[in-house]
Amino acid sequence: MSDTTNRRGWLKGLAAGSAGLFLAACDKLNESPKVQKGLASAQGLTMRAQRLFQNRTALAQEFTPADIARDFRANGSISPADPAYRQLLTTGFKDYRLVIDGLVERPLSLSLADLRAQPSRTQITRHDCVEGWSSIGQWKGARLGPLLDRVGLKREARYLVFHCFDSLEETLDGSGQYYESIDLVDGYHPQTILAYEMNGQVLPVAHGAPLRLRVERHLGYKHAKYVSRIEAVADFAHIGQGKGGYWEDRGYEWYGGI
Ligand SMILES: Nc1nc2c(c(=O)[nH]1)N[C@H]1C(S)=C(S)[C@@H](COP(=O)(O)O)O[C@H]1N2
Ligand SMILES: [Mo]
């Protein structure tokens, strides 16, 4: 079965459920406003929800090279001390592999060279941290959408969990490990990339080397740095403290949309 057929079947299966509306946003079909309208009324959604839905596929604002911050702030973990990370860093990430698994048909393990060979996107965007600062930077990375098609999401997959190398908090039970999650609308959003370059240079350690998520319609904490694994899941109740992310487990909203 080809990737496209696969994904259609997957979308069809879900369109029956309540999740279908949002998930269908990544299908070509939905570029037609008529179809969006039909879907929304079929689901009995209010005008407000419909607007939110259409809005979610829109692009985040992009800027020009002149707007790039000279001193893009680094925040949270900036130099992970975790042994597995230190080991990879020492050897220039030559043994780094991004694992994509969970509810997928064909799990993948990708080197940085593999990732660089994937369809990419370069974008100049503004990063907004809830702590009240913003910085504009240029990011280049592998588009997540085509990678999701490559692994073939199973019908039950609804979220993507990004597991990171760094522990932001030292704990004995591992609950201080950073992680994040997004839904499939954001997974397939054209500006959602796994960035390996920042401002035309190899991604610096402080900003998440060798690979970090850019999910441009969201607040800073959703942009997982030091990504080691992407796991497709039906729900994230069993991960961390169950709220979908390190900061979500500590009180932030799961939906950090901007
Ligand atoms: N793995 C990991 N990802 C992370 C964090 C972190 O501490 N660890 N901090 C988050 C927060 S709150 C922000 S604002 C951004 C900071 O990204 P930057 O260091 O490139 O500015 O990364 C986000 N992703
Ligand atoms: Mo942040």
Side-chain angles (χ1 to χ4, degrees):
M1 205 192 286
S2 80
D3 278 343
T4 333
T5 338
N6 233 345
R7 209 173 108 215
R8 280 228 190 88
W10 162 78
L11 278 168
K12 234 195 257 154
L14 278 161
S18 62
L21 179 65
F22 280 171
L23 291 171
C26 36
D27 198 67
K28 279 254 167 17
L29 187 75
N30 281 290
E31 277 158 25
S32 143
K34 249 197 202 139
V35 172
Q36 288 186 350
K37 223 169 151 194
L39 271 172
S41 59
Q43 303 278 337
L45 286 185
T46 62
M47 198 62 172
R48 220 177 126 254
Q50 191 183 331
R51 243 186 238 133
L52 175 71
F53 158 60
Q54 287 174 339
N55 202 23
R56 290 204 55 202
T57 59
L59 295 186
Q61 187 181 358
E62 295 195 11
F63 299 82
T64 69
D67 300 316
I68 294 174
R70 251 177 247 158
D71 197 9
F72 195 112
R73 211 160 130 175
N75 201 36
S77 295
I78 54 170
S79 179
D82 307 69
Y85 184 80
R86 291 326 292 184
Q87 180 58 40
L88 289 170
L89 177 62
T90 319
T91 50
F93 298 112
K94 79 172 166 47
D95 297 323
Y96 171 83
R97 293 289 181 279
L98 170 71
V99 171
I100 309 181
D101 64 0
L103 297 173
V104 302
E105 303 289 351
R106 300 169 292 276
L108 270 181
S109 166
L110 301 164
S111 69
L112 284 171
D114 295 333
L115 285 159
R116 283 179 174 272
Q118 293 299 306
S120 72
R121 193 174 198 280
T122 303
Q123 57 208 30
I124 302 176
T125 53
R126 193 186 60 223
H127 179 99
D128 298 308
C129 173
V130 282
E131 289 169 11
W133 58 270
S134 299
S135 294
I136 291 174
Q138 183 185 62
W139 306 96
K140 180 182 181 186
R143 291 195 47 210
L144 185 54
L147 281 172
L148 296 178
D149 284 343
R150 239 185 103 181
V151 294
L153 292 171
K154 293 189 176 168
R155 287 178 172 220
E156 315 85 81
R158 291 191 58 193
Y159 303 100
L160 304 166
V161 177
F162 295 80
H163 297 276
C164 305
F165 283 107
D166 60 311
S167 310
L168 196 44
E169 197 184 300
E170 296 259 346
T171 56
L172 291 176
D173 63 356
S175 64
Q177 186 123 2
Y178 205 91
Y179 76 102
E180 256 304 336
S181 60
I182 61 174
D183 66 13
L184 301 183
V185 175
D186 283 315
Y188 276 104
H189 189 284
Q191 287 169 320
T192 299
I193 61 172
L194 300 170
Y196 43 71
E197 270 182 29
M198 178 190 190
N199 299 338
Q201 312 279 323
V202 171
L203 184 66
V205 167
H207 294 287
L211 198 72
R212 66 101 48 91
L213 175 67
R214 294 299 309 170
V215 54
E216 303 293 355
R217 299 293 309 280
H218 285 270
L219 287 167
Y221 61 89
K222 301 295 290 184
H223 300 237
K225 308 197 280 187
Y226 317 108
V227 175
S228 62
R229 174 181 173 217
I230 303 174
E231 183 190 8
V233 298
D235 76 82
F236 43 70
H238 61 290
I239 297 169
Q241 309 294 306
K243 299 291 195 312
Y246 176 92
W247 283 115
E248 286 86 336
D249 285 341
R250 289 155 182 80
Y252 286 23
E253 289 289 320
W254 177 78
Y255 188 73
I258 42 176

